[in-house]
Amino acid sequence: MEELNIQASTHAYSIVIGEGIRNQITDYFTNSYSSIWVITDENVAKLYLGDVLETLSDFHAHHTILPAGEQTKSIDYYNQLMTEAIAYGLDRHSLLIALGGGVIGDLAGFVAATYMRGIDYIQMPTTILAHDSSVGGKVAINHPLGKNLIGSFYAPQGVFYDMETLITLNDREIRSGYAELVKEALISDEAIYRSILTTNLQNLPPSITQEHICSGIQIKAQVVEQDEKENGMRQYLNLGHTLGHALEAHLGYGSIAHGEAVAIGLLFALHVSESVFDTTLPFLQLKQWLETNHYPLHSLTGDQQTILAKMKNDKKNKQHRIQMVLLEQVGKPIIKQMTDEDMLSYLSSFKRKLVNK
Amino acid sequence: MEELNIQASTHAYSIVIGEGIRNQITDYFTNSYSSIWVITDENVAKLYLGDVLETLSDFHAHHTILPAGEQTKSIDYYNQLMTEAIAYGLDRHSLLIALGGGVIGDLAGFVAATYMRGIDYIQMPTTILAHDSSVGGKVAINHPLGKNLIGSFYAPQGVFYDMETLITLNDREIRSGYAELVKEALISDEAIYRSILTTNLQNLPPSITQEHICSGIQIKAQVVEQDEKENGMRQYLNLGHTLGHALEAHLGYGSIAHGEAVAIGLLFALHVSESVFDTTLPFLQLKQWLETNHYPLHSLTGDQQTILAKMKNDKKNKQHRIQMVLLEQVGKPIIKQMTDEDMLSYLSSFKRKLVNK
């Protein structure tokens, strides 16, 4: 077991990473609860809900199983969950458990943040990708016009990461999760970046994954402790997301995995950075690694104007100008305000570079 | 002008009370803003929106006019406002102004709390009742199964109370607002309580209203500074609301004014308190004052079981037991957990006492 502690503005909480945690989750409860509500999706329910409910057998426990996928992070499901919470008679002394990936964590977390003005919740991430979203208290749902546009900052009571639940991930989910690990390494730690880039995702020893996840969470935890509300350095975590979010919105949520879109966005950020700072960054090395590991680099379709319009819906923008995270070098992120003209030109040159062998 | 300062957990903010504030609102802005969005209702818009927009003429200002009434505090209007915010291109550096009564303040406040995970907002209350809801950072929308069940704690950047906007209130709105002033006096200050009970609401000098509002806000401010998240003494502000909320839900939101329902709830709280503490409280005096001022005491209809069921949806309850604020004496509130049997019996004896002359 590895344990990290995070100091949020409202309270401190633990992140515990290890094997078999789902079978002993009650050991980590920090309060007594009137009832417990587990929210999960249909894929995770088949595999791990039974274990969790068994551990909760001494409690008054309810559960809700939602469809898997980004479409579930909608105001309709949010409203449905509120109705269920009331129907179950949940009160302010209830605990919500988000058992699943980022979609479940974000949606259930936003329900916890706003049901009766806030109840306790814990995150039990079951994907690699969710190492990122489960830490730091960002919770949200999507609006048809943009991702995560409705949400809050609301820290969990704890994050409990059972490494055993990762063995059932498919290749796409592994790719998607690793993109955020690459991002964390790129903004802060060249050694981890090198370690990841020597890893073949098709043949991944669990111990290595745990090591990479622990590093990623450590980086994320340091950032959000210093800037919980994203007024400064937390924005660095947006590396790769300007294009990533735009691409997801353009292709339709769920038709490309979040991390796959971010991976293309990371490569784009390296491309722009090389030009802005007139420097050489490991663009080709990253492109090669992404290709080896079957990231869908061909997914960057749509004309530049369409992609630009989607980028401008990003909530990090200021006065309709795109704020983009760039790298002066690996481990040294910086935020630059970009003109529309520059963005169009970079998109165009990036597309050309993608098809070059 | 009177000014009070409140220390919320996230930041400090001012409450300014005086005449003509709507014509100088920009003097109170504490940040520079990329754009401003005024949310109001159709009644207030006719009277005061023009003045406010004129004051904002140097800014990039949008406005939205919603239907008046409790039905507007719904997830549908919430969602509609989110869509407008995105369509207007509002970013994290925008300011939202809630111009209106409690419905507008609560709904617009919840939009501000959750649009892009939180933007700045200010409250410009235009009713007496809203002196209560505009202070303390509670924001919410209703769920068909219960009032304010979806919401957050999210402090405004300021509360700017233009006393001139109160002259257009009708009798029902004055009654509704005064019920919360009576409540604040009952939980903390016998002198103010006596002062209010000697006031005839049909003939109300503006200077007296301002005095009562300032006292009410002072009481509320003291309470929420000490217990922002309602873990302790903030619950005292719930005096009269256990039955009040149940009655509103039973009769249908909007068919009885919030404060009218609370007034009946206050009288009920005195009735139960007299019995629980075997003491004499000013029940008859309050009943007489409510009758003189045309509070609809006859509205307590429905059988006891129906009312009890509605009371049990209250988010202050613990493990399905009703938590009721009672008074040991005027100025000395206390929370008691009530059994269902006792509540049914008190409701029954209260109804009998209401019809006695």
Side-chain angles (χ1 to χ4, degrees):
Chain A
M1 296 285 167
E2 302 221 28
E3 185 162 349
L4 280 163
N5 289 293
I6 296 215
Q7 185 60 53
S9 62
T10 48
H11 61 275
Y13 63 93
S14 298
I15 302 168
V16 184
I17 302 162
E19 304 207 329
I21 289 179
R22 70 189 181 288
N23 301 312
Q24 57 195 76
I25 188 69
T26 57
D27 295 354
Y28 299 104
F29 289 178
T30 49
N31 288 312
S32 62
Y33 292 108
S34 59
S35 55
I36 297 182
W37 182 24
V38 184
I39 298 179
T40 192
D41 74 28
E42 54 201 1
N43 295 341
V44 177
K46 276 177 220 149
L47 298 162
Y48 306 115
L49 179 61
D51 295 346
V52 173
L53 291 179
E54 195 170 314
T55 319
L56 298 174
S57 59
D58 288 345
F59 288 82
H60 199 207
H62 308 277
H63 67 273
T64 299
I65 301 172
L66 298 170
E70 190 74 29
Q71 286 83 348
T72 303
K73 241 175 86 174
S74 69
I75 200 159
D76 290 338
Y77 279 105
Y78 170 75
N79 197 20
Q80 178 191 312
L81 288 171
M82 287 293 175
T83 306
E84 284 190 36
I86 301 165
Y88 288 147
L90 298 189
D91 65 17
R92 285 183 168 170
H93 308 274
S94 304
L95 174 72
L96 192 163
I97 297 180
L99 174 69
V103 166
I104 290 297
D106 282 4
L107 168 63
F110 189 50
V111 168
T114 54
Y115 179 61
M116 296 192 170
R117 295 200 183 87
I119 61 172
D120 280 2
Y121 77 113
I122 60 178
Q123 297 272 14
M124 292 183 68
T126 59
T127 64
I128 299 172
L129 183 64
H131 85 273
D132 182 40
S133 54
S134 64
V135 173
K138 275 192 178 181
V139 294
I141 54 176
N142 298 327
H143 186 281
L145 296 175
K147 208 172 145 132
N148 294 331
L149 289 180
I150 304 176
S152 322
F153 293 97
Y154 191 72
Q157 294 297 307
V159 180
F160 304 102
Y161 216 140
D162 188 341
M163 288 291 122
E164 286 176 1
T165 63
L166 302 182
I167 57 169
T168 43
L169 294 178
N170 63 32
D171 289 350
R172 194 184 189 203
E173 290 165 323
I174 293 171
R175 269 199 302 273
S176 185
Y178 258 84
E180 295 285 3
L181 290 169
V182 170
K183 174 200 78 178
E184 284 142 359
L186 276 173
I187 64 170
S188 70
D189 197 318
E190 189 157 5
I192 301 170
Y193 174 71
R194 282 181 202 287
S195 161
I196 294 175
L197 278 248
T198 56
T199 306
N200 186 323
L201 300 187
Q202 273 93 71
N203 185 7
L204 203 55
S207 64
I208 296 291
T209 309
Q210 177 161 347
E211 197 184 303
H212 288 152
I213 286 178
C214 286
S215 305
I217 287 181
Q218 231 150 11
I219 294 166
K220 171 105 191 215
Q222 277 164 15
V223 170
V224 300
E225 273 195 343
Q226 287 176 64
D227 176 28
E228 187 177 70
K229 299 286 168 67
E230 198 166 9
N231 298 310
M233 67 182 292
R234 187 165 182 167
Q235 296 174 62
Y236 297 153
L237 294 169
N238 202 36
L239 184 73
H241 284 65
T242 308
L243 177 58
H245 280 164
L247 204 52
E248 278 186 279
H250 170 61
L251 298 173
Y253 295 131
S255 69
I256 185 169
H258 173 67
E260 289 177 335
V262 168
I264 299 170
L266 290 173
L267 204 54
F268 179 60
L270 291 187
H271 169 65
V272 177
S273 301
E274 283 189 333
S275 169
V276 168
F277 301 112
D278 193 17
T279 185
T280 305
L281 289 163
F283 178 94
L284 284 176
Q285 186 200 24
L286 180 59
K287 178 165 176 263
Q288 207 160 47
W289 184 82
L290 293 174
E291 284 168 346
T292 307
N293 290 292
H294 308 295
Y295 283 82
L297 301 187
H298 59 274
S299 300
L300 179 55
T301 55
D303 65 283
Q304 277 79 280
Q305 284 289 359
T306 310
I307 299 290
L308 178 70
K310 297 282 180 191
M311 282 181 174
K312 296 188 82 170
N313 267 341
D314 195 298
K315 61 189 170 309
K316 276 89 178 179
N317 294 340
K318 282 185 191 166
Q319 304 192 315
H320 309 282
R321 299 283 292 275
I322 290 170
Q323 306 288 310
M324 196 171 166
V325 187
L326 301 177
L327 293 178
E328 289 185 278
Q329 57 189 64
V330 173
K332 214 170 159 197
I334 187 168
I335 291 165
K336 284 272 178 199
Q337 184 163 295
M338 310 296 290
T339 66
D340 291 2
E341 296 67 36
D342 281 347
M343 289 311 284
L344 291 171
S345 147
Y346 286 130
L347 278 170
S348 164
S349 51
F350 179 58
K351 275 191 177 171
R352 285 195 301 276
K353 240 166 139 181
L354 272 190
V355 290
N356 287 345
K357 286 292 160 191
Chain B
M1 296 286 168
E2 303 220 29
E3 184 162 348
L4 280 162
N5 290 293
I6 296 214
Q7 185 60 54
S9 62
T10 47
H11 60 274
Y13 64 93
S14 298
I15 302 168
V16 185
I17 302 163
E19 305 206 328
I21 290 179
R22 70 189 182 287
N23 301 312
Q24 57 195 79
I25 188 68
T26 57
D27 296 355
Y28 300 104
F29 289 179
T30 48
N31 288 312
S32 62
Y33 292 108
S34 59
S35 55
I36 297 182
W37 182 24
V38 184
I39 298 179
T40 191
D41 73 28
E42 56 201 0
N43 295 341
V44 177
K46 278 177 217 147
L47 297 162
Y48 306 113
L49 178 60
D51 295 345
V52 173
L53 291 179
E54 196 171 311
T55 318
L56 298 174
S57 58
D58 288 344
F59 288 81
H60 200 209
H62 309 277
H63 68 272
T64 299
I65 301 172
L66 297 171
E70 189 76 29
Q71 287 81 352
T72 303
K73 240 174 87 173
S74 68
I75 201 159
D76 289 339
Y77 280 105
Y78 170 77
N79 197 20
Q80 178 191 311
L81 288 171
M82 287 293 175
T83 306
E84 284 191 34
I86 301 165
Y88 287 148
L90 298 189
D91 65 17
R92 286 184 167 168
H93 308 274
S94 303
L95 173 73
L96 192 161
I97 298 181
L99 174 69
V103 166
I104 292 297
D106 282 3
L107 168 63
F110 189 50
V111 168
T114 53
Y115 179 61
M116 295 191 171
R117 295 201 183 86
I119 61 172
D120 280 2
Y121 78 114
I122 60 178
Q123 296 273 14
M124 292 185 68
T126 59
T127 64
I128 300 172
L129 184 64
H131 85 273
D132 182 39
S133 54
S134 64
V135 174
K138 274 191 179 184
V139 294
I141 54 175
N142 299 327
H143 186 279
L145 297 175
K147 207 173 146 133
N148 295 331
L149 289 180
I150 303 176
S152 324
F153 293 97
Y154 192 72
Q157 294 297 307
V159 180
F160 304 102
Y161 215 139
D162 188 342
M163 287 291 122
E164 286 176 1
T165 63
L166 303 182
I167 57 170
T168 42
L169 295 178
N170 64 33
D171 290 350
R172 193 185 191 202
E173 289 165 324
I174 293 170
R175 270 199 300 274
S176 185
Y178 258 84
E180 296 283 4
L181 291 169
V182 170
K183 173 199 79 180
E184 282 142 359
L186 275 173
I187 64 169
S188 70
D189 197 319
E190 189 158 6
I192 300 170
Y193 174 70
R194 283 181 202 287
S195 161
I196 294 175
L197 278 247
T198 56
T199 306
N200 186 324
L201 300 187
Q202 274 92 70
N203 185 8
L204 202 57
S207 64
I208 297 290
T209 309
Q210 177 161 347
E211 199 184 302
H212 288 152
I213 286 178
C214 285
S215 305
I217 287 182
Q218 231 148 10
I219 294 166
K220 171 107 191 214
Q222 277 164 15
V223 170
V224 299
E225 273 195 343
Q226 287 174 64
D227 176 29
E228 187 178 70
K229 300 284 170 68
E230 198 166 9
N231 298 310
M233 67 182 293
R234 186 164 184 168
Q235 295 175 62
Y236 296 154
L237 294 169
N238 202 36
L239 183 73
H241 284 65
T242 308
L243 178 57
H245 278 163
L247 203 52
E248 279 186 278
H250 171 61
L251 297 173
Y253 296 130
S255 69
I256 186 169
H258 174 66
E260 290 177 335
V262 168
I264 298 170
L266 290 173
L267 205 54
F268 180 61
L270 290 186
H271 169 65
V272 177
S273 300
E274 283 188 334
S275 169
V276 167
F277 301 113
D278 194 16
T279 185
T280 305
L281 290 164
F283 178 93
L284 284 175
Q285 188 202 22
L286 180 60
K287 177 166 177 263
Q288 206 158 47
W289 184 82
L290 294 173
E291 284 168 345
T292 305
N293 290 292
H294 308 295
Y295 283 83
L297 302 186
H298 58 274
S299 301
L300 179 54
T301 54
D303 64 284
Q304 277 78 282
Q305 283 289 359
T306 310
I307 300 289
L308 179 70
K310 297 282 181 191
M311 282 180 174
K312 297 189 80 170
N313 267 342
D314 195 298
K315 61 189 169 310
K316 276 89 178 178
N317 295 340
K318 282 185 191 165
Q319 304 193 316
H320 310 283
R321 299 284 292 275
I322 289 171
Q323 306 288 311
M324 195 170 167
V325 186
L326 301 177
L327 293 178
E328 288 186 280
Q329 58 190 64
V330 173
K332 215 171 157 194
I334 187 168
I335 292 165
K336 284 272 178 200
Q337 184 161 296
M338 311 295 289
T339 66
D340 291 3
E341 296 67 36
D342 281 348
M343 289 310 285
L344 291 171
S345 148
Y346 286 129
L347 278 169
S348 165
S349 52
F350 179 58
K351 274 192 177 173
R352 286 195 301 275
K353 240 167 139 180
L354 273 189
V355 292
N356 286 346
K357 287 291 158 190

